[in-house]
Amino acid sequence: MNIGRVNPANRLEDQGINGLGHVYYNLIEPALVEAAVKRGEGVLGKGGALYATTGAHTGRSPKDKFVVRTPAVEDSIWWENNAPMTPAAFDVLHADMLEHMKGRDYFVQDLYAGADPELRLDVRVVTELAWHGLFIRHLLRRPEAAELASFVPEFTIINCPTFKADPARHGCRTETVIALNFDKKLILIGNTAYAGENKKSVFTLLNYILPGKGVMPMHCSANHAIGDEEDTAIFFGLSGTGKTTLSADPSRILIGDDEHGWSDRGTFNFEGGCYAKTINLSAEAEPEIYATCSKFGTVVENMIYDADTLELDFEDNSITDNMRCAYPLDYISNASGNSLGGNPKNIVMLTCDAYGVLPPISRLTPAQAMYHFLSGFTSKTPGTEVGVVEPTPTFSTCFGAPFMPRRPEVYGKLLQEKIAKTGANCWLVNTGWTGGAFGTGKRMPIKATRALLTAALDGSLSAVQFRKDPNFGFEVPVLVAGVDTTLLDPRATWADKGAYDAQAKKLVEMFSNNFAQYVPYIDADVKAAAIG
């Protein structure tokens, strides 16, 4: 039985998906919350939020993600970073998953990825869990009801958490699988209830499609000045570096918190909502995000709560450090109405330095910006991926290697061209450790980070005195109003200066060794920046 609004010519049966139980098309938020509670998928929490857990998988499974290797994509996929799957194995996986789905109920959401109507991707998400339907309805962009009558999906995602893959039969690594087939315009997800796999699969699609149109896809948050879309800032960074927190500045308009495109017309959000980490979230430090956790329909994921009062515990990480909330963008009071901005005036690269070496903010030349963009240095924070239990220094090129199907130089060249064309200011911001490495030092004070970013975005930081960093060659401010001067010199924050010097030398060598892989593909000025 089919229930809900759908293009009558584009039901699941028309895609070869037959024999299902009830199919619920494009249910709105109240119906999805009701279905999730009735089916025992979650608990109705304070304010009508939905509390859900994801079982064994509380983060992404990047090692279980595959791209189907076909002649059409053979020469354009970065195979060193994307595990291949044969077309034959995918076909068997697809057939087995469709057989597994028979007789079961499914929830379908027809959605847009991309706020720019000329560049958006029409995506159908078929989910076994009602709360996954609610999640992706928040995270992607919702068509008007009238638009659904003619909606035709360009790509389809099928997510079956109860389906277990067979590595020998399906050419994968474990019983968990995320398989992308660009030829068949189909993504299959099995044996994981972590909702983030849905949205990151769409991001991966856009990261493959948009560069062919001259559009830069970016793992970044974005905002712009109130009343001035041309004063746009973007914030590159991996999970846990502060993209959501720092872009949700009440003095600016939030375009989006995670995934954007940069076309000749400007910046546009891929998504229609936010997926924020909630560990240690407080009403004092982040009131807007905190408030979403008790708003109707917000998906609260993997959080401990009091069974009687339904009060959430923002400090209890006994399920995972990667506890999150997913909510529509308009739950943030200063969110953009159209999710569009101008060409970025400021580009901020966020890094979580677990070594405690990098200063809180640095000014980059365009060549240095390319170097740090391709390097993508940060620390994976606990819980964001399976097996990560403490901050782990890593290099994730373009600040999003797990989602990059093309070679890094493709994205790097696009960014280089857009910086050259617009003259954007470039900054590196460390939200990681100061006064020592992880275990000895402490996290960078968010108050100082906010003050430095405000100065960078309003232009006042460019007027202060800078010094040249002896390790990386970028410029570091010497004195900034409202910021502890000692904090601006990482070496001065360490009790043992010799230990800092040794740690800095180690980090420079790590950068150099990692960047060697890009040297054959980059321009002379970027090579010079790599040397420092």
Side-chain angles (χ1 to χ4, degrees), residues 222-265:
N223 62 26
H224 67 72
I226 296 174
D228 186 2
E229 286 188 2
E230 296 308 309
D231 186 0
T232 293
I234 58 176
F235 304 79
F236 285 104
L238 288 176
S239 178
T241 56
K243 291 194 310 301
T244 300
T245 298
L246 296 173
S247 58
D249 182 341
S251 67
R252 294 174 66 86
I253 300 297
L254 177 67
I255 300 172
D257 83 323
D258 197 37
E259 299 163 5
H260 294 79
W262 182 356
S263 72
D264 290 340
R265 291 188 296 278

Side-chain angles (χ1 to χ4, degrees), residues 463-480:
V464 308
Q465 180 185 352
F466 284 78
R467 65 176 177 84
K468 185 176 180 179
D469 182 84
N471 299 306
F472 290 94
F474 43 51
E475 293 184 314
V476 182
V478 175
L479 183 65
V480 180

Side-chain angles (χ1 to χ4, degrees), residues 130-291:
W131 80 264
H132 272 201
L134 179 64
F135 171 91
I136 203 64
R137 185 172 173 82
H138 288 335
L139 267 297
L140 294 185
R141 304 187 65 82
R142 300 159 288 281
E144 297 295 331
E147 295 176 294
L148 294 173
S150 58
F151 186 97
V152 178
E154 296 173 64
F155 275 82
T156 297
I157 298 171
I158 302 175
N159 191 326
C160 298
T162 60
F163 176 82
K164 295 184 184 296
D166 180 342
R169 181 174 171 81
H170 300 134
C172 51
R173 189 182 72 98
T174 68
E175 293 181 333
T176 301
V177 66
I178 304 100
L180 289 74
N181 191 321
F182 288 104
D183 284 17
K184 294 194 172 183
K185 298 187 174 182
L186 183 62
I187 298 175
L188 306 177
I189 303 173
N191 195 46
T192 172
Y194 181 64
E197 297 288 9
N198 295 294
K199 89 182 207 83
K200 288 306 184 186
S201 293
V202 176
F203 185 38
T204 304
L205 287 178
L206 292 169
N207 282 340
Y208 182 78
I209 294 167
L210 291 179
K213 301 179 179 181
V215 177
M216 175 68 184
M218 304 176 293
H219 190 209
C220 72
S221 56
N223 62 26
H224 67 72
I226 296 174
D228 186 2
E229 286 188 2
E230 296 308 309
D231 186 0
T232 293
I234 58 176
F235 304 79
F236 285 104
L238 288 176
S239 178
T241 56
K243 291 194 310 301
T244 300
T245 298
L246 296 173
S247 58
D249 182 341
S251 67
R252 294 174 66 86
I253 300 297
L254 177 67
I255 300 172
D257 83 323
D258 197 37
E259 299 163 5
H260 294 79
W262 182 356
S263 72
D264 290 340
R265 291 188 296 278
T267 309
F268 63 99
N269 192 356
F270 290 166
E271 302 181 298
C274 301
Y275 190 33
K277 296 192 74 171
T278 56
I279 188 167
N280 299 323
L281 196 64
S282 72
E284 294 73 29
E286 298 171 271
E288 292 260 36
I289 300 173
Y290 184 89

Side-chain angles (χ1 to χ4, degrees), residues 7 37 50 106 117 211 226 231 264 274 302 394 438:
N7 181 347
V37 173
L50 182 70
Y106 278 83
I226 296 174
D231 186 0
D264 290 340
C274 301
N302 292 323
T394 188
F438 168 73

Side-chain angles (χ1 to χ4, degrees), residues 29-31 33-34 44 46-50 134 138 292-299 327-328 331:
E29 291 79 1
V33 170
E34 182 181 26
L44 191 65
K46 293 193 67 175
L50 182 70
L134 179 64
H138 288 335
T292 68
C293 293
S294 57
K295 290 190 175 184
F296 180 79
T298 291
V299 176
Y327 50 89
Y331 276 10

